[in-house]
Amino acid sequence: MVGGPSSADWVRRHERLLFGVLGIVALLSLWEVGTATGYLSSTIMSSPTGIVRAAQLEFGRGEIWGHIAYSLTEYAIGLVFAAVVGVSVGFIAGWWQRAFFILDPWITILYSTPTVALVPLLIIILGIGLWTNVVVVFLISLFPIIVNTLVGVQSTGQWHLGVARSFGATQRKQWTSVVIPGSLPFILTGLRLAAVHGMVGVVVAELIAGNRGLGFFMNLAGQYLQSGTVMLGILIIGLWGVFISEVMKRVEDRFEMWRPD
Amino acid sequence: MAQSSSQTQSNKLRATDIRMEYTRRDRTRVLAIDRLNLETQEGEFLSVVGPSGCGKSTFLKIVAGLVQPTEGEVEVNGEVVTKPAPSRAMVFQDPSLFPWYTVTQNVAYGLACQGVSKTEASERIGPLIEMVGLRGFDNHYPYELSGGMQQRVNLARALAVNPDLLLMDEPFAALDAQTREIMQAELLTIWRQTSKTVLFITHQINEAVYLSDRVIVMSARPGKILDDIQVDLPRPRELAIKRSESFLRYEERIWRQLESEVRREMEADQLERRQGGE
Ligand SMILES: Nc1ncnc2c1ncn2[C@@H]1O[C@H](COP(=O)(O)OP(=O)(O)O)[C@@H](O)[C@H]1O
Ligand SMILES: [Mg+2]
């Protein structure tokens, strides 16, 4: 009886995690049972144990590490460039109205163009390889950063700037004490979106035009009908996505202590 | 005593023929203030009451140096105001604290703008935070504070730069009635301790009479001065004074003048809306 109420408490506190795990386990079991009994085709959709076997094989061989590292490199380079350029352009366009008027049509046009559609053009310009994929990551993550930074700067009220000016804040101080802290939550949102979009960008670019990397690896496995290996790739990308958004959430929490949740 | 020695010295603030015309986004013009003349004495607590939209905030911003009047000029300590200065600190209406700064950082803001070092700033603001009753909340963010506490921070932030003219724009308007009364009494206590000249904007007659040495009554837009009333109630004032007969007489006198103005303003508003709707 002693354990009764406290274990009920434990369940309530971890409800979210518990049910999440439950859902995953249930689906995996169905999948496994379905393929084991032949109701589902394991050739087409592999099975959980099939993925484990593929993982053992691939990590045993070790080549997969090279592909992962390659994709991560493209991702990191593209994202860092996008962050630097995106935040700068966002600040400029958010602060100077004329700059906004000039850039706005371009941002609108390019934001609504599927970046992937530019891949054939990029291949013509840069050839197949690292830089084409870096540029895809860059372009795909650039616009969420620009747009969010821009909105952030525009929405830091004239109100707080007026307060700053009334205390004699210099231009520089107005930026460091009002514009930047006020737009930081927006910038971080932009970066989080960019981080996720960028990941999609890497994989898609490699699927279309890669000679290395995770996307290429999956494409190759697909051509040999190794569905377990393809699924392994998907799993790695999924974990990567989860990791990235977790990290970004932490960063946002750290910088937004001043905001009520 | 030294009254004759310098007429300009005792005039803390002198506003001469202030006229303020705004151009709206749609190019139409609004005359917010028309020919406003005003003088205040050193150490005086002066309130300005008027219906909303009559140009009170505009006038305060002109005195602060945040906006330039279309015509006329404001002199503070004998110097024409052209831009903000720490000697004229502003306590704004409700949400003007920097939400990303803690109480300490907000209060120290004006000092930071003047390049005062962090250690010196924290020494100087310590007693201020104490005075406004916020000790122990130093590292809280504004969202963690009640409205009354936020306005204390706001007041402390203005006092920190040691201004000699304190400009307050309806600082208690957003507070509930009880908190507002307590804040009024506390403001008077602090004012006695610091002996600053205060220019206080409000649309509450009760608040103006309770706090002030002098109350200026403004007309509906364009704002002009309708009345200038010396409030000869003894100080220090307890909140109970608000129920005294002489207090009520001051209130009555001001209310009578404002009533017709508020009516006029409402009618003008309706007319404008009808014309705008066409
Ligand atoms: N920046 C502005 N542009 C255009 N009109 C304004 C501006 N600021 C104030 N006004 C107009 O001037 C009038 C006076 O405003 P304000 O000084 O804020 O009045 P109060 O503080 O007495 O309510 C109002 O009609 C308002 O709409
Ligand atoms: Mg106002």
Side-chain angles (χ1 to χ4, degrees):
Chain A
M1 229 32 253
V2 183
S6 73
S7 69
D9 260 11
W10 189 90
V11 168
R12 206 163 303 129
R13 252 183 295 125
H14 297 81
E15 214 170 26
R16 187 170 174 175
L17 184 70
L18 225 58
F19 279 89
V21 171
L22 205 69
I24 292 175
V25 171
L27 193 70
L28 289 180
S29 312
L30 269 180
W31 186 3
E32 186 67 40
V33 172
T35 45
T37 53
Y39 278 103
L40 300 168
S41 157
S42 58
T43 322
I44 295 174
M45 54 184 307
S46 187
S47 66
T49 46
I51 297 173
V52 172
R53 254 178 283 124
Q56 280 169 339
L57 186 72
E58 294 302 337
F59 284 105
R61 257 199 251 147
E63 258 171 59
I64 192 171
W65 288 114
H67 291 295
I68 293 175
Y70 190 78
S71 295
L72 281 178
T73 309
E74 293 167 338
Y75 177 69
I77 299 175
L79 205 57
V80 167
F81 273 104
V84 172
V85 175
V87 170
S88 312
V89 172
F91 270 132
I92 291 168
W95 189 252
W96 286 284
Q97 200 171 39
R98 293 245 164 94
F100 174 71
F101 291 156
I102 294 171
L103 291 170
D104 187 39
W106 289 103
I107 294 171
T108 312
I109 292 167
L110 291 172
Y111 200 5
S112 44
T113 308
T115 309
V116 179
L118 296 175
V119 172
L121 189 65
L122 290 173
I123 294 174
I124 296 173
I125 301 169
L126 296 166
I128 289 178
L130 184 102
W131 291 105
T132 296
N133 301 348
V134 166
V135 172
V136 172
V137 175
F138 172 78
L139 288 177
I140 220 168
S141 42
L142 181 66
F143 291 98
I145 301 176
I146 292 182
V147 171
N148 278 282
T149 306
L150 173 85
V151 171
V153 175
Q154 285 177 341
S155 70
T156 32
Q158 288 304 307
W159 181 244
H160 280 122
L161 281 174
V163 176
R165 270 196 292 273
S166 84
F167 281 101
T170 56
Q171 277 276 334
R172 194 198 150 103
K173 183 77 184 168
Q174 287 173 34
W175 271 80
T176 56
S177 67
V178 179
V179 181
I180 293 174
S183 46
L184 198 57
F186 292 85
I187 296 173
L188 290 176
T189 302
L191 288 176
R192 180 161 46 81
L193 289 175
V196 174
H197 288 199
M199 203 185 69
V200 176
V202 174
V203 176
V204 173
E206 287 171 350
L207 280 174
I208 302 174
N211 47 19
R212 285 177 75 185
L214 266 181
F216 170 76
F217 170 81
M218 286 163 65
N219 216 357
L220 205 61
Q223 282 164 18
Y224 290 101
L225 292 180
Q226 296 165 333
S227 54
T229 311
V230 176
M231 290 286 185
L232 175 66
I234 295 174
L235 187 66
I236 293 171
I237 293 163
L239 290 176
W240 178 1
V242 170
F243 175 74
I244 288 295
S245 33
E246 265 321 295
V247 169
M248 289 309 294
K249 236 184 266 164
R250 294 278 155 83
V251 174
E252 284 181 60
D253 285 347
R254 163 70 190 76
F255 281 102
E256 295 179 9
M257 286 186 310
W258 54 271
R259 284 181 131 192
D261 23 56
Chain B
M1 288 171 286
Q3 236 169 20
S4 59
S5 73
S6 52
Q7 181 68 21
T8 45
Q9 261 272 283
S10 64
N11 275 337
K12 190 75 199 169
L13 177 151
R14 182 209 296 269
T16 321
D17 286 331
I18 302 290
R19 213 178 116 85
M20 184 69 204
E21 200 173 52
Y22 283 113
T23 309
R24 286 199 185 119
R25 238 179 262 271
D26 60 4
R27 295 296 175 101
T28 58
R29 295 192 172 169
V30 197
L31 185 57
I33 299 177
D34 193 19
R35 288 268 154 66
L36 188 125
N37 288 282
L38 188 67
E39 284 175 13
T40 69
Q41 308 297 307
E42 180 86 50
E44 192 172 36
F45 199 121
L46 178 78
S47 286
V48 178
V49 287
S52 75
C54 75
K56 304 184 295 292
S57 295
T58 300
F59 176 61
L60 209 66
K61 281 184 199 150
I62 291 171
V63 176
L66 283 172
V67 296
Q68 297 300 316
T70 315
E71 276 172 44
E73 60 184 24
V74 173
E75 278 175 40
V76 174
N77 295 328
E79 277 178 44
V80 176
V81 170
T82 53
K83 61 178 198 298
S87 61
R88 291 169 265 122
M90 185 101 144
V91 180
F92 293 86
Q93 212 170 319
D94 200 32
S96 78
L97 294 176
F98 300 112
W100 42 84
Y101 283 159
T102 61
V103 168
T104 311
Q105 289 170 320
N106 266 290
V107 176
Y109 189 75
L111 296 176
C113 288
Q114 292 171 30
V116 174
S117 77
K118 272 213 178 88
T119 35
E120 199 195 325
S122 66
E123 261 168 45
R124 277 165 65 177
I125 65 176
L128 264 175
I129 289 183
E130 178 91 50
M131 182 163 83
V132 297
L134 279 168
R135 218 174 61 167
F137 292 95
D138 311 51
N139 293 319
H140 282 56
Y141 287 96
Y143 84 90
E144 300 171 296
L145 305 177
S146 67
M149 282 157 93
Q150 290 186 20
Q151 284 312 69
R152 286 166 215 243
V153 180
N154 219 329
L155 180 61
R157 180 174 65 180
L159 290 172
V161 293
N162 198 21
D164 46 21
L165 182 58
L166 199 54
L167 307 172
M168 306 185 75
D169 191 1
E170 306 204 28
F172 307 145
L175 304 182
D176 63 81
Q178 286 82 7
T179 312
R180 187 187 308 143
E181 299 236 305
I182 290 165
M183 292 296 293
Q184 290 166 356
E186 282 182 14
L187 175 61
L188 281 190
T189 311
I190 290 167
W191 174 66
R192 255 208 332 279
Q193 286 168 17
T194 55
S195 66
K196 310 218 175 283
T197 310
V198 180
L199 185 55
F200 191 97
I201 305 289
T202 178
H203 62 257
Q204 274 222 309
I205 300 170
N206 177 291
E207 182 168 79
V209 176
Y210 173 69
L211 293 171
S212 319
D213 297 316
R214 226 174 107 207
V215 178
I216 302 289
V217 183
M218 267 173 91
S219 69
R221 199 180 67 207
K224 288 184 294 281
I225 293 181
L226 286 181
D227 201 358
D228 186 336
I229 302 156
Q230 200 75 33
V231 181
D232 289 317
L233 295 170
R235 287 189 191 271
R237 293 175 189 166
E238 304 287 325
L239 278 167
I241 207 173
K242 291 188 175 181
R243 289 189 294 274
S244 75
E245 207 169 303
S246 40
F247 189 96
L248 296 175
R249 236 179 289 125
Y250 283 117
E251 260 191 319
E252 174 67 23
R253 170 169 167 191
I254 297 169
W255 171 241
R256 242 182 293 127
Q257 303 187 69
L258 276 183
E259 191 183 9
S260 54
E261 289 304 314
V262 174
R263 286 240 164 80
R264 228 175 49 140
E265 175 66 13
M266 281 163 66
E267 275 155 24
D269 243 29
Q270 276 165 2
L271 189 70
E272 205 166 291
R273 215 164 299 144
R274 224 171 295 142
Q275 284 169 343
E278 281 172 4

